[in-house]
Amino acid sequence: MKKTILITGASRGIGAEIARAAGKADYKVGVNYLGSKAAAQALVREICDSGGEALALQADVSRLDDVERLFCELDAAYGPLDVLVNNAGKLANFRVDTTDESNLSGLFGVNMFGAFYCSREAIRRMSHAHGGKGGCIINMSSVASRLGGLSGGAAYAASKGAMDAFTLSLAKEVGLEGVRVNGLRPGLIETEIHEMHGGLAHVRELAKSLVPLGRSGTAAEVAAVALWLASDAASYVHGAVVDVSGGR
């Protein structure tokens, strides 16, 4: 029987690559997006044209009412959830001395509140304590959580540090209820999210001096680790935060 996976923020970048890999691995794939409807629908068509099964689901994960609707729509289409990937994220660029309520709450709303809200709904469906059959939650962090962000990236780094702490705490909370929880910390990965920091050419140049492997990574390399964490091959991996960063 096919398993169901939901990937938040999956219309592009790492999320889209995880969705592609999940489709090839015979998951029923929930592709969540915020505003990029055309990109999400194109990804769904790509997965389906390759023999997979996928559905585009719009929701703002920083809003609890949207998250509740998102999970209800997934329930109706695909039934019980097996894997949640909390991938939706926002990369902000502002100094601490320019912080205001709007830019800070917007960043943490997506990067942390969204992970809490989606995990809440997933646990209510997966946990043995709620009558579920178990499952897996994967939280997308960043090496910025332990290295600090680039210039203007203090808030982003802080949100990812919070994600690491959340991953470890949640693993302790639901481990005996059949839910495995792990995190992923990508490093310099070639995605469009880096456009505000000089684009892919700048990322590749940075990698030559900052990354022990001497190169930037790809979204496909991160996706491969995510699918492994979701698989039975990682059945004793719990409460881990795995670096996918070329040794950085």
Side-chain angles (χ1 to χ4, degrees):
M1 177 181 268
K2 284 188 175 183
K3 291 185 175 181
T4 297
I5 186 170
L6 172 63
I7 304 130
T8 65
S11 63
R12 63 180 185 175
I14 291 172
E17 208 57 51
I18 295 173
R20 290 187 183 96
K24 291 175 184 176
D26 210 28
Y27 281 93
K28 293 180 286 186
V29 185
V31 176
N32 163 249
Y33 69 97
L34 175 59
S36 303
K37 182 177 181 179
Q41 291 179 332
L43 176 60
V44 165
R45 286 194 298 272
E46 178 186 338
I47 293 169
C48 293
D49 288 348
S50 299
E53 191 172 353
L55 176 69
L57 297 161
Q58 191 282 330
D60 180 350
V61 298
S62 72
R63 293 177 55 89
L64 181 55
D65 55 349
D66 262 28
V67 170
E68 291 173 335
R69 174 181 53 78
L70 165 65
F71 275 78
C72 287
E73 290 176 358
L74 185 69
D75 290 342
Y78 287 155
L81 179 66
D82 297 283
V83 180
L84 167 67
V85 182
N86 281 315
N87 171 77
K90 185 173 183 179
L91 184 62
N93 184 28
F94 58 88
R95 283 172 51 96
V96 173
D97 55 6
T98 65
T99 300
D100 60 33
E101 186 176 0
S102 175
N103 58 25
L104 196 62
S105 63
L107 177 71
F108 276 82
V110 175
N111 292 6
M112 273 312 305
F113 290 7
F116 267 87
Y117 295 154
C118 290
S119 295
R120 186 190 90 160
E121 293 303 305
I123 291 164
R124 289 180 175 184
R125 289 157 172 79
M126 295 175 178
S127 168
H128 297 337
H130 292 277
K133 58 185 177 61
C136 177
I137 296 174
I138 299 168
N139 292 324
M140 195 64 63
S141 180
S142 166
V143 294
S145 68
R146 57 178 177 76
L147 296 177
L150 299 173
S151 177
Y156 176 78
S159 73
K160 293 305 183 180
M163 181 70 95
D164 288 353
F166 175 58
T167 296
L168 299 177
S169 297
L170 185 60
K172 294 177 180 178
E173 192 166 290
V174 297
L176 292 178
E177 299 173 12
V179 183
R180 286 193 303 111
V181 183
N182 292 290
L184 273 179
R185 270 193 302 238
L188 286 170
I189 306 299
E190 296 181 6
T191 70
E192 59 269 36
I193 200 171
H194 291 291
E195 286 303 317
M196 71 170 60
H197 287 298
L200 295 185
H202 181 60
V203 167
R204 290 167 183 158
E205 195 60 35
L206 276 178
K208 292 177 183 178
S209 58
L210 295 178
V211 179
L213 282 184
R215 66 172 178 86
S216 49
T218 67
E221 289 174 309
V222 181
V225 179
L227 266 290
W228 175 75
L229 283 174
S231 75
D232 291 341
S235 58
Y236 200 56
V237 182
H238 181 61
V241 182
V242 181
D243 287 345
V244 188
S245 60
R248 183 165 174 251

